[in-house]
Amino acid sequence: MTGEAEHDVVVVGAGVAGSLVAKQLTRAGFRVLVIEAGPATAWTFDGYLSHLQTFYTATGKGPESAWPPAAAAPQPDTRDLRAGDGYFVQDGPLKYGSTYTRLQGGSTLHWLGVSLRMLPEDFELRSRYGVGRDWPLDYPSLEPYYRAAEREIGVAADVADQSHLGVEFAAGYDYPMQRIPPSYSDTVLAAAVDGMQVTSGADRVTLKVRSYPAARNSIPRGDYHPVGAVDERPKGQRLARDLGQRCAGNTSCTPICPIQAKYNAGKTLAQADGTKLQVIAQAVASKINVDAVTGEVTGVEYQRYDDPSSPRHTVHLARGRAYVLAAHAIENTKLMLSSGLAGASGTLGRNLMDHPSIYGWGLAKAPVGAYRGPLSTSGIDDLRGGAFRAQHAAFRVDIGNDGWRATTGAPDTAVADAVLTQGLFGADLRAHLTATLPRHVRFSLNVEQLPSMTNRVSIDPRQVDKLGNPRPVINYDIDEYTLAGMAAAKSFYQGVFRRAGIDDRTDQEHAAWFPTVTYQGDMFRYHGMGHFAGTHVMGDDASLSVVDTDQRCWEHRNLFLVGSGSFPTMGTSNPTLTMAALALRTADRLTAELSG
Amino acid sequence: MSVDRLHELLDAAVKLELATIPPYLCALYSIRPGGNEEATLVIRSIVVEEMLHMILSANVLNAIGGRPRVAGKENAPHYPHELPNGIVMDLQPFSAASVEAFLRVENPQHPPETSDSAPATLMGRRTELHRSSARSVSAGPTTIGAFYGEILDELTTVASEIGERALFCGDPARQISGDFYYAGGGAPVAVTDLASARRALAEVVEQGEGEMASPYDEDGDLAHFYRLEQLKYDRSYLRSDTVGTPTGPSVGVDFRAVYPMIPNPREADYADPDLRAASATANRAWIRLLEQTDNAFDGAPSNLIPAVHTMFRLRDAMVVLLANPLPDSDGHHAGPTFEWEPSAPVRARASR
Amino acid sequence: MTSRREQFVDASAELTGFPRVQLFGTGMSDKYLQALDEILSVEVVDEFLALCTRAADTSGNAGVSGIVQHASWGPIARNIIILWYCGTWTALPDAWRAVHGTAPTDLDHVVSAEAYQMGLQWVAAGAHPAGARQQGFGAWAISPAETVS
């Protein structure tokens, strides 16, 4: 083991949370070391282009298809779900469907970019509806950090569209960029659906197709300058920074935006103060060392590898005054557990949540121009909140622009079906495809999951990866509350399809494989959204939580666990914006403390 | 010295910038996919910047009450096209000759040429030479840099003669801002007075060749002129290199991995009706692009958004032509002709 | 005398419903012919192309239809269609392989990054390949009817 030079702060993980903390702290004058498990290939644009080439030649175009991991830092992959033999040890009873990426940039490399704030009621589920937990923070206290996160990430939206379900904005505020133009397909759907009323419990809810706040470059407001592609080549050869200044509709946000018009954490890291920042990529944090008397962290051991295809490595020690784990809800937990730091509360690793989601897809009456634009530009938010949450889970609807790509593998599978099954060729084939592909519509309905102590990630010394580090062992189930939410979501989209004259073509038997769960005789195929939460829960009672409202670990006062692992509940929004807001809040706390 | 003269000069400036774009597009899209990544990035970046230059000149012209015109046969560029300093711009594929032409264009201090040194094969494809209107209005053969210098001098003189407010009488709503156009270097300058006009025109000249001993500027970036030199020599500039002698590793130039477009093609030379239809498709997209740009310059800046989409449709149509072998042409391929000949009535579309 | 490449593009035009200029316009004609030669052998490809030429010359669309439905030539014809539309090669059916043999390259795969980007399925859809050939900011708001040229 080699002792390394001291830094003020050691950050484990160069995803969005770690990068935001590193940027703020270096800019405040502190020396920060970032340890990143995976390679930093996306740091230069030619490195990024190699990922694009990987995507083009991949036979499956799922979220991980552009981002193969290093041997030393394996990651979960949706392609492993069916056989159940991937990085996760899927201990059941149900398969946990979400994945993440262990590369510099993390999951922001392939996320969709949805940047919704949580609703005020999402922070108060227990008080309001008698389910789940309350957060120790409320929406008003996080609001300034939401604004800061929206500017840091670069979010495009109009406040006028977003002030509903109790969400309030500071007076005079609007998002850094104008909303992404809704797609033609969105406007056709809105013409049919806006004003439609549905019953939810005892309430009548009026629907509206609504733009969502997106981390995608659009027309800027005020003095905001959209941040384009990251191209940190040495020696002034940076060229690609004028790429990605506006979304150009590449329709592949997941898994990769070819021009980086979509936010990825590399953009934040590139804005850190380079004179105060050191990044060591290809370095897997493997153990946290703690002083037996004080409980203070004294160092983080990491395994540094040179060749991403080999597990050969050397071991080093990183030391600082404070330590921030930003390696992901699962990896943070895994590192704590394998360092023997489970803590007394018994909550570390538990309350693992996802947004188990269902698809519905169909054929619109007339061409709507499918397969164009960002993967989606609008959604339906109206069932994200309300009194019904005392009975069943809330859900959010994402309205796809990408046709049946995610559900059936179209257009390729549509071509294969037309040619191989229907025997079409020539002008007939072309006419058939031209008449049908532009009419493809799909919804993704993301259902909230409540915290449960039996949904958890743990480690088992018999289950290790090539470096001898533990593989995450997942116990996962979906309870009645969420299943009832799924059933409500299914009935919801069927009603919307009927109203809009969309011919429902949802056919689970002849679509991409997803894990299944049965509820009241109905079989649901569910997919993960890449939304993890709960594993190092935040609270104001040390006996019931892992971290406090600053994401500081109760039992190790110079250790912070940042990320969506801190969330007591998830609501129905992508955790990224809330996670970013919390990370900025933690960075403020650290800045004050290290200065004082 | 008069406002009319200024309108003439600035109109010529807009057309000059516009005229450089089709040759860059031909070079860019003639590159076969899968190679020449550096050249692709460089040329794309230059195209984005030439459009910015055109918009900056249009902003100055609009600011003094003029009307920039790019649509219509009399306003659209025709090829081969002679610029004010004698440089001839051809429609040709990515090649050593095209990189030479671009270097001459990007170097605003380049002296006026008395004779052109293009290869014989290219000379053979110059059946008709079109002169830039910038060449017609300037006092004599001039460098591009001097041409813009002349405009700036005229602006200053006329402003002092009739007053700045009287000169800059244009409607500010006609200015194109960063809302509707964006480039690596930033947003277009909205022009309302002499100071902003100066800034706008300085942007146009400054983004060409740098003037230092080292090719790197103080931000550590390379100007386009030096990036083109890297393509010419197929070597990158190291930090320690001096201007004109890059000694770093190859930047991956491969002039063979290019569609062998016939230089300065004409739609009339395409015998195959399907090829002619493909050419007409490209020209319709080009015409639409010019009309949308013209509308943007005429008080409806938001037209630049659909114009960007039209540019990509032009790209798709160009690629179809460039990939098609042209029969009886010694192994050449077809290419876009950039001719203003609408082959179907063009409906005016309301802007969003 | 029609070149082999021309023969291939002529046959492909019949099979795909796209005219020759559009097929050449993908820039993939040589690469696809090469892929076929590698997977099927030059002799088999020659025979197939000769068959297509004869069929088109003598009985037009009905002739080509006969090839598409033929037990031996049909799977090849259909794979060529998918090649042009998707840029991918589909492993030939087991029944076909039992009769004609298996080549090591006869696996499901994307022929190349360029083949993916030049697939005609996206042109048929009035769209663009996901992750490439972007349409520009705001293009997705324009009605599909207006964007077809």
Side-chain angles (χ1 to χ4, degrees), chain B residues 113-127:
Chain B
E113 308 225 329
T114 46
S115 69
D116 186 40
S117 50
T121 45
L122 198 51
M123 297 292 261
R125 293 289 309 167
R126 289 180 183 169
T127 47

Side-chain angles (χ1 to χ4, degrees), chain B residues 7-8 70 95 104 126 156 207 214 218 232 246 248 342 349:
Chain B
H7 284 198
E8 257 182 1
V70 296
S95 59
R104 292 198 291 270
R126 289 180 183 169
T156 310
Q207 281 178 334
S214 161
E218 56 285 331
K232 170 178 174 167
R349 285 192 167 65

Side-chain angles (χ1 to χ4, degrees), chain B residues 232-304:
Chain B
K232 170 178 174 167
Y233 297 115
D234 194 15
R235 305 202 79 134
S236 58
Y237 269 110
L238 298 177
R239 281 296 197 151
S240 48
D241 285 336
T242 50
V243 163
T245 45
T247 65
S250 158
V251 291
V253 173
D254 184 359
F255 288 129
R256 296 159 310 166
V258 166
Y259 292 124
M261 170 185 158
I262 191 155
N264 300 322
R266 321 219 54 161
E267 192 168 302
D269 295 338
Y270 296 156
D272 179 349
D274 281 340
L275 199 59
R276 200 183 283 236
S279 174
T281 298
N283 282 329
R284 272 202 304 280
W286 172 235
I287 287 163
R288 187 150 159 70
L289 176 59
L290 291 175
E291 288 177 341
Q292 285 167 325
T293 305
D294 202 88
N295 289 339
F297 289 162
D298 195 22
S302 63
N303 269 271
L304 284 184

